């Protein structure tokens, strides 16, 4: 049985489903763009609230008010718990809204559950940021599996780059269903960067940045790094903080598996500032003001090249090879010696630093929201 087939070129009823901070940052620009085209789109937003505070920060910034809020987050939730809650809670929303298309983004539990719930109701799925792959189901865990499964469920695949489009073709996805659009996260970061530069937004106003010290910005939250990986990373960050020429700021993810060891191993150190997750605008400002970024985040790996900031990626494998190939991002994993050696080289060797801090946009040009909307407006997802 095929998907429901509305009349082509009618006003598309689009339901966005998202739940975490990065999904919100990457989907709100598309929601806002579609809302500027009311003749073409009837847009609804359902948040699972897999994240609560970190999601609400983004919704407030973009002034997106959800039509449905499933409020599923629980402290220290397991993957099975969030999966079960999200699937069950989505059903009445899909029955009430009966959209032509559900849009999901990325590779979280909400992404996969949104696609699966839509499929159960024979509703077509559009996948934003499709085709990222490491080829290893355990890295990142469980996101690589979520991507693979979401690809299988989706009807429309919005690949950020030609390399991700190639991964989709290799998975057997029909070329006609793949659209290279750039990553909508770049729409968000360029917009914020430009408005910060124009003085229209207020930047970071927390910890005083010390003149003469180079700011090293740290973020970490990947499940495969929980335990030993984070312990090795935190010990290396503690060592790095002994250098008199650096200042370290680390907005700590609220997941207790991240926060508790961070407080235990880094909490007392004078040159390491552990702070709460930042709102998106001050975080972009802090990226711009940083010398070097240490992260296992996917989104930060994409944004930093647009801001000309070198990144040491705290993973063994990345699904974002473009910036590695361009030389602005390096994989260091969680081996303490390697982290210290690579960070030291960038702090001490101006030539190496210059080569890594080139500004470029391998992940997009800020126009992804428009391209994705154009495809959907054409109704090409109809059989
Ligand atoms: C999730 C995604 C990951 C994404 C990350 C972005 C999955 C499996 N993982 O990981 O792909 O990179 O979000 O940050 O979907 N918490 C709060 N407040 C918040 C958010 C989280 O307290 O606003 C705490 C809660 O205790 C929650 C825990 O963090 O139970 C874990 O949240 P969860 O969404 O399950 O996993 P993340 O590690 O955030
Ligand atoms: N970010 C933020 N505040 C922070 C840390 C990160 O707004 O304190 C933004 C960051 O700019 C990027 C996104 O959150 O756009 C990345 O989210 P995260 O690292 O949680 O998830 P991932 O991208 O790894 O899935």
């Amino acid at each position: 049985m095929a998907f429901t087939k509305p009349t082509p070129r009618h006003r598309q009823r689009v339901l966005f489903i998202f739940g975490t901070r990065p999904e919100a940052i990457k989907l709100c620009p598309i929601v806002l763009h579609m809302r500027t085209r009311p003749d073409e789109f009837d847009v609804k937003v359902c948040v699972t609230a897999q994240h609560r505070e970190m999601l609400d920060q983004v919704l407030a910034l973009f002034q997106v008010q959800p039509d449905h809020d499933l409020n599923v987050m629980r402290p220290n939730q397991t993957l099975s718990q969030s999966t079960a809650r999200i699937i069950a809670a989505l059903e009445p929303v899909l029955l009430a809204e009966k959209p032509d298309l559900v849009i999901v983004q990325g590779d979280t539990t909400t992404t996969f559950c949104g696609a699966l719930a839509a499929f159960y109701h024979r509703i077509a799925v559009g996948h934003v940021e499709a085709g990222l792959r490491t080829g290893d189901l355990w890295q990142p865990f469980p996101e690589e599996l979520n991507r693979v499964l979401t690809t299988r469920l989706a009807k429309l695949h919005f690949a950020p780059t030609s390399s991700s489009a190639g991964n989709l073709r290799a998975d057997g996805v029909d070329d006609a269903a793949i659209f290279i659009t750039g990553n909508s996260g770049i729409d968000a970061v360029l917009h914020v960067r430009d408005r910060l530069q124009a003085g229209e937004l207020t930047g970071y106003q927390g910890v005083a940045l010390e003149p003469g010290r180079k700011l090293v910005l740290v973020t970490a939250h990947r499940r495969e790094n929980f335990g030993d990986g984070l312990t090795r990373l935190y010990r290396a960050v503690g060592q790095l903080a002994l250098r008199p020429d650096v200042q370290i700021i680390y907005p700590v993810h609220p997941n207790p598996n991240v926060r508790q060891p961070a407080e235990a191993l880094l909490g007392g150190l004078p040159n390491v500032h552990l702070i709460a997750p930042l709102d998106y605008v001050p975080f972009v400002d802090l990226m711009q003001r940083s010398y070097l970024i240490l992260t296992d985040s996917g989104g930060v790996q994409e944004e930093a090249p647009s801001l000309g900031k070198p990144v040491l990626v705290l993973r063994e494998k990345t699904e974002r090879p473009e910036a590695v190939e361009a030389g602005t991002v390096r994989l260091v994993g969680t081996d303490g010696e390697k982290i210290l050696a690579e960070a030291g080289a960038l702090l001490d060797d101006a030539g190496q630093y210059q080569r890594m801090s080139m500004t470029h946009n391998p992940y997009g040009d800020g126009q992804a929201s428009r391209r994705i909307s154009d495809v959907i407006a054409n109704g090409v997802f109809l059989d």
Side-chain angles (χ1 to χ4, degrees), residues 155-216:
K155 185 96 170 121
L156 285 179
H157 308 259
F158 299 107
T161 67
S162 54
S163 146
S164 43
N167 292 335
L168 292 167
R169 281 191 289 271
D171 272 7
V173 177
D174 183 351
D175 213 19
I178 303 171
F179 304 87
I180 301 175
T181 59
N183 195 311
S184 54
I186 304 301
D187 299 14
V189 75
L190 295 182
H191 178 74
V192 169
R193 180 199 65 184
D194 293 348
R195 291 192 59 200
L196 277 166
Q197 265 163 16
E200 292 164 16
L201 290 172
T202 306
Y204 178 68
Q205 295 191 308
V207 176
L209 302 191
E210 295 179 38
R213 288 185 188 246
K214 292 167 176 162
L215 175 61
V216 178

Side-chain angles (χ1 to χ4, degrees), residues 35-181:
R35 286 195 168 148
T36 65
R37 297 164 61 171
D39 296 345
E40 296 166 279
F41 302 108
D42 175 4
V43 177
K44 292 282 171 65
V45 172
C46 172
V47 295
T48 64
Q50 177 184 329
H51 284 175
R52 188 68 274 175
E53 310 89 284
M54 295 204 306
L55 172 76
D56 292 343
Q57 290 177 337
V58 185
L59 293 172
L61 168 68
F62 287 97
Q63 296 182 302
V64 168
Q65 274 153 10
D67 301 281
H68 304 270
D69 187 332
L70 309 183
N71 201 25
V72 302
M73 195 192 87
R74 299 291 180 274
N76 208 7
Q77 60 207 359
T78 67
L79 296 173
S80 310
Q81 288 165 351
S82 34
T83 300
R85 265 199 297 273
I86 292 170
I87 289 279
L90 279 173
E91 183 148 67
V93 175
L94 294 170
L95 286 169
E97 294 293 348
K98 295 188 174 51
D100 300 324
L101 181 71
V102 158
I103 297 275
V104 294
Q105 192 283 338
D107 52 22
T108 70
T109 300
T110 292
T111 313
F112 166 58
C113 291
L116 183 62
F119 180 80
Y120 285 160
H121 289 273
R122 303 180 194 280
I123 297 165
V125 174
H127 186 202
V128 173
E129 197 183 85
L132 277 63
R133 297 286 187 270
T134 62
D136 178 347
L137 285 186
W138 298 101
Q139 299 189 62
F141 172 84
E143 290 82 3
E144 179 77 358
L145 183 68
N146 287 339
R147 295 171 188 143
V148 169
L149 296 173
T150 304
T151 291
R152 193 67 190 85
L153 293 164
K155 185 96 170 121
L156 285 179
H157 308 259
F158 299 107
T161 67
S162 54
S163 146
S164 43
N167 292 335
L168 292 167
R169 281 191 289 271
D171 272 7
V173 177
D174 183 351
D175 213 19
I178 303 171
F179 304 87
I180 301 175
T181 59

Side-chain angles (χ1 to χ4, degrees), residues 20-23 25-26 51 54 57-58 105 107-108 129 143 185 188-189 217-222 250-253 275-284 287 295-303 315 320:
T20 68
R21 169 173 68 191
E23 295 161 74
I25 290 170
K26 291 169 172 178
H51 284 175
M54 295 204 306
Q57 290 177 337
V58 185
Q105 192 283 338
D107 52 22
T108 70
E129 197 183 85
E143 290 82 3
V189 75
L217 183 61
V218 179
T219 83
H221 70 276
R222 299 248 80 86
Y250 173 13
V252 184
H253 192 290
I275 60 172
L278 284 171
D279 288 0
Y280 186 56
V281 171
F283 186 75
V284 172
M287 280 197 284
T295 190
D296 63 10
S297 161
V300 175
Q301 282 178 70
E302 292 158 349
E303 292 163 342
R315 304 195 197 181
R320 295 169 168 90

